[in-house]
Amino acid sequence: MTRLFIIWLFDGHNPIYLHASDIIYERKNGVMVTGDREKAELLNAFFASVFSQKESHLQPQQHGMDEGLGEIQPQIGKQVVQEHLATLNEFKSPGPDQLHPRVLKELAEVISEPLAIIFESSWRTGEVPADWRRANVVPIFKKGKKNDPNNYRPVSLTSIPGKILEKIIKEVVCKHLETNAVIANSQHGFTKNKSCQTNLVSFFDRVTSWVDTGNAVDVAYLDFSKAFDKVPHDLLANKLVKCGLDKTTVRWICNWLSERTQRVLTNASSSSWKEVTSGVPQGSVLGPVLFNIFINDLDEGLEGMIIKFADDIKLRGIANTPEDRSRIQNDLDRLERWAETNKMKFNRDKCKILHFGRKNGNQRYRMGDAWLDSSVCEKDLGILVDNKLNMSLQCDAAAKKANGILACINRGIASRSREVLLPLYSALVRPHLEYCVQFWAPQLKGDVDKLESVQRRVTKMIKGLENKP
């Protein structure tokens, strides 16, 4: 019952995973599309439309192979594969090959040796089976209008055996990146010992100290348009070579990226297959690591300080004088040139400027030929940050979210026992009160009272704790 309620809660009241039957699309001629197959075709056509143009004169798997990088002879033992199989999440969905993780997990002892042979051969030769380069795409609703395909994130469900080899190769790639300090310190996403919290604390610690000493500070929030889907394979291959990865691994990754295909699933229907000409698959194991490598040189040549969490980027600088503001504008121009060179694109409508400090002149900045809008408050990695560095808005938002979920629990769960309500509170409510709280911890009594009222409400709901203060 509790598990069913959790599914209902997030489907019905916080629609993240939206059932395809609830999606209604509108054609350009105003005709509403309700058939599952038509929905899938429209979504797949839209997802494919954002890809970068395929380079006909350069095959990714051939690029950079004559740079003199060393070959390796990877060895994958039966025990390694068996350990990966044993830790499979049996509730995950299979890829287009329909090899279910539960079956693979139960047959781990039997299939680990032949899989190890296949994995090792694939890595050494750089030949990736076609089934591992196919993906079932599930549209994940983000926010906004449900009839706008732009408001859905394409998450790829790929072959489970293919993902196991991705994990093995990812360990080698990450070890190389860490040993050689390849990834810049400015990257906090998908990086060991870094997180949203370290990103926020390290960035705004300096901003706060500057503002406290009377400086004006400008922060640019920058947003790439379809960042993961637009990564050009040829340029990524070149950057894999430059970061010093061995030839064997680069060859395998380039083959894994080439000639990929995808289809969109909606209920029992699926779209036709479409070629994937750019990007790193969202939902894959290697995708985030490859994106970090691709975007790693974004910092080069900048005078101001930049910080990243995957594709979420912030640029900051002191803005006391015209010369200071000119330096920030020069950095924005460099970032725009980087995007053009690397076949990426900033979503200028979502790029915003926050002005901090009492003496801030609220300078306007541009990217390319578009002026960026100023804002008084931005959601930064899920945390509301305003231009006065006051965390009251974030406290309000956290308390409102927590109270909303508590109301759903109150209406949907009849039991008032501690054994039922406390796990629900810990899983669904508490994370909203604790997420990055080291950064936005309330200082004002009114803000503290708002959060404590959530705790008191929980105790009144649990039988036996109703009279606790």
Side-chain angles (χ1 to χ4, degrees), residues 6 35 58 80 116 138 200 209 222 235 247 259 274 373 399 457:
I6 294 174
L58 182 63
V80 173
V138 178
L200 292 166
S209 66
L222 307 177
L235 297 182
K247 186 187 298 185
E259 298 179 6
K274 281 191 176 291
D373 292 331
R457 183 177 179 184

Side-chain angles (χ1 to χ4, degrees), residues 120-140:
E120 190 173 304
S121 175
S122 174
W123 195 353
R124 288 187 178 188
T125 62
E127 294 293 329
V128 182
D131 278 350
W132 297 358
R133 289 178 284 159
R134 306 174 84 187
N136 288 334
V137 172
V138 178
I140 306 299

